[in-house]
């Protein structure tokens, strides 16, 4: 979902499309349409009987799809990919999907649009919602959350070492009505942190943590990964592109756990019941090339993990 400021760059494009092992007449889901870079590449490999469904909760992305993807093999769904299994159930596609692609995180159009409130580099409303038509904004969330919970969010979702200190000053500013824009939040965090990291804005971790909390990103990821097991056909592929360690750890552990025999009663002296593997891990994690990182700096932290549904 990452692109440069003036040109679209889909991260790990060739690698992720190869990972899907696309069949010309297959059925595929692009769970994070963005501006359609991955979707376009999938359609290029599909035959006339193939089908691609794309999902995005951002109204702007959905509008872009309606305008630029006039293809009878393509359907855009406005909603959260958390409900992937429900979308497939509605279309009688459970167990029939040949590939699911997830390109996680915030898209560059969202980062580059100051009015969306994702970036500390551009002043805009303190929003951060993937779908601005649902839920509460970051400003509202910060006004409602207690300091202890905020500290845990900064610590667990942002891996912020000074979470207590940052949580305290943010709550003081929020309670005083001083947090209205992204610049307000960035300046509050910058003032309280003891030192700056090279090539990293002091508010980076805070913005990531609050965005994850506002959008329930990690819970959504866990739910869609679990739902993909019901959706995929035998030999169907799952490809997940992550951009930070929290997402990648969830994808890694999920694929690992679903790729091995699991004992339902591990503490029992005798083996009572086991769950057979559902997935097979395909290859090692894939990272962007040096050339891609130079072309698109936002791809530097990306990692692609691939798995295949086993025949039952």
């Amino acid at each position: 979902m990452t692109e440069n400021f003036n040109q679209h760059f889909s991260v790990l494009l060739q690698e992720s499309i190869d990972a899907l092992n696309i069949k010309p007449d297959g059925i595929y889901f692009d769970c994070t349409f963005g501006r359609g870079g991955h979707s376009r590449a999938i359609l290029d490999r599909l035959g006339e009987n193939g089908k691609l469904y794309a999902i995005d909760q951002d109204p702007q992305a959905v509008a872009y799809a309606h305008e630029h993807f006039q293809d009878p093999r393509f359907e855009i769904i406005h909603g959260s990919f958390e409900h992937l299994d429900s979308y497939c159930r509605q279309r009688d596609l459970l167990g029939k999907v040949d590939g699911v692609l997830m390109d996680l995180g915030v898209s560059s159009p969202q980062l580059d649009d100051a009015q969306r409130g994702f970036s500390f580099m551009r002043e805009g409303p303190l929003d951060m919602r993937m779908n601005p038509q649902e839920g509460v904004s970051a400003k509202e969330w910060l006004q409602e959350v207690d300091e202890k919970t905020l500290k845990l969010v900064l610590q667990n979702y942002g891996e912020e070492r000074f979470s207590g200190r940052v949580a305290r000053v943010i709550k003081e500013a929020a309670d005083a009505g001083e947090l209205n824009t992204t610049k307000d939040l960035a300046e509050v965090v910058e003032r309280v942190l003891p030192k700056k990291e090279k090539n990293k804005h002091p508010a980076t971790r805070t913005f990531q943590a609050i965005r994850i909390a506002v959008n329930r990103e990690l819970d959504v990821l866990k739910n869609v990964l679990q739902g993909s097991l019901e959706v995929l056909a035998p030999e169907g592929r799952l490809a997940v592109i992550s951009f930070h360690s929290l997402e990648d750890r969830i994808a890694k552990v999920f694929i690992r756990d679903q790729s091995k025999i699991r004992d339902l009663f591990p503490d029992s002296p005798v083996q009572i019941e086991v769950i057979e593997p559902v997935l097979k891990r395909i290859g090692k994690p894939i990272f962007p090339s040096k050339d891609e990182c130079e072309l698109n700096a936002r791809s530097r932290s990306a990692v692609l993990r691939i798995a295949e549904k086993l025949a039952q």
Side-chain angles (χ1 to χ4, degrees):
M1 292 170 64
T2 307
E3 27 182 324
N4 205 356
F5 294 116
N6 300 310
Q7 187 175 356
H8 182 82
F9 294 107
S10 295
V11 170
L12 290 166
L13 178 61
Q14 191 64 46
E15 295 87 343
S16 59
I17 302 306
D18 289 344
L20 293 175
N21 195 26
I22 293 174
K23 304 172 183 177
D25 59 350
I27 300 170
Y28 295 88
F29 268 82
D30 179 357
C31 287
T32 44
F33 176 78
R35 289 302 180 268
H38 289 104
S39 284
R40 184 74 69 189
I42 293 171
L43 286 169
D44 286 344
R45 294 202 185 184
L46 286 179
E48 61 180 17
N49 295 319
K51 184 71 177 181
L52 172 63
Y53 298 88
I55 305 169
D56 209 297
Q57 58 186 331
D58 188 336
Q60 293 180 8
V62 174
Y64 183 92
H66 284 306
E67 181 178 354
H68 296 280
F69 280 69
Q70 304 294 324
D71 191 317
R73 302 170 300 166
F74 176 82
E75 179 182 338
I76 184 70
I77 300 169
H78 184 201
S80 170
F81 65 46
E82 180 178 16
H83 308 302
L84 171 65
D85 55 346
S86 295
Y87 302 141
C88 288
R89 188 174 294 108
Q90 293 164 8
R91 293 163 175 80
D92 190 28
L93 294 175
L94 291 180
K96 300 177 183 179
V97 176
D98 296 295
V100 173
L101 173 64
M102 303 175 193
D103 181 9
L104 307 175
V106 183
S107 68
S108 287
Q110 291 170 329
L111 283 172
D112 297 340
D113 182 355
Q115 295 304 307
R116 301 302 298 273
F118 286 105
S119 176
F120 43 77
M121 303 299 292
R122 296 169 177 76
E123 185 169 19
L126 195 54
D127 196 312
M128 299 194 194
R129 287 173 292 177
M130 301 286 192
N131 183 353
Q133 299 172 354
E134 292 185 357
V136 298
S137 67
K139 175 184 175 180
E140 293 168 323
W141 185 81
L142 287 171
Q143 291 171 338
E144 295 171 2
V145 71
D146 60 83
E147 184 178 323
K148 181 179 179 181
T149 301
L150 178 57
K151 176 182 182 297
L152 291 173
V153 165
L154 297 175
Q155 180 179 310
N156 295 329
Y157 295 170
E159 299 176 300
E160 173 56 68
R161 289 176 296 166
F162 303 98
S163 57
R165 185 183 308 180
V166 175
R168 183 171 63 254
V169 297
I170 287 177
K171 278 306 297 178
E172 289 173 354
D175 292 344
E178 298 171 355
L179 290 185
N180 298 299
T181 70
T182 51
K183 183 178 180 181
D184 293 339
L185 177 60
E187 289 180 345
V188 165
V189 175
E190 190 170 12
R191 285 200 303 267
V192 75
L193 289 182
K195 62 178 181 179
K196 296 180 174 62
E197 296 181 55
K198 186 177 180 180
N199 299 323
K200 194 165 190 175
H201 192 283
T204 299
R205 293 189 178 91
T206 294
F207 270 68
Q208 173 182 297
I210 294 171
R211 189 201 79 220
I212 289 173
V214 166
N215 294 286
R216 300 177 43 251
E217 291 179 34
L218 301 187
D219 288 337
V220 167
L221 177 56
K222 291 174 184 176
N223 290 338
V224 71
L225 286 172
Q226 191 64 42
S228 70
L229 298 179
E230 190 176 7
V231 163
L232 287 169
E235 299 184 354
R237 291 287 184 91
L238 172 66
V240 184
I241 303 173
S242 306
F243 287 87
H244 59 73
S245 60
L246 299 175
E247 294 172 335
D248 184 51
R249 190 177 304 129
I250 291 171
K252 176 183 177 180
V253 170
F254 175 79
I255 292 173
R256 182 198 67 195
D257 288 350
Q258 297 297 334
S259 301
K260 65 182 182 181
I261 295 176
R262 287 171 292 152
D263 190 344
L264 287 178
F265 302 95
D267 298 326
S268 173
V270 295
Q271 192 176 75
I272 300 175
E273 187 176 358
V274 298
I275 298 179
E276 295 294 328
V278 182
L279 297 176
K280 174 177 68 174
R281 186 179 63 186
I282 303 297
K284 296 182 178 180
I286 297 174
F287 302 91
S289 66
K290 181 180 178 181
D291 288 343
E292 179 172 355
C293 291
E294 290 178 352
L295 184 67
N296 178 15
R298 289 174 179 168
S299 70
R300 288 177 296 188
S301 61
V303 54
L304 168 65
R305 295 186 184 273
I306 312 160
E308 183 175 289
K309 177 80 173 287
L310 295 171
Q312 298 298 305

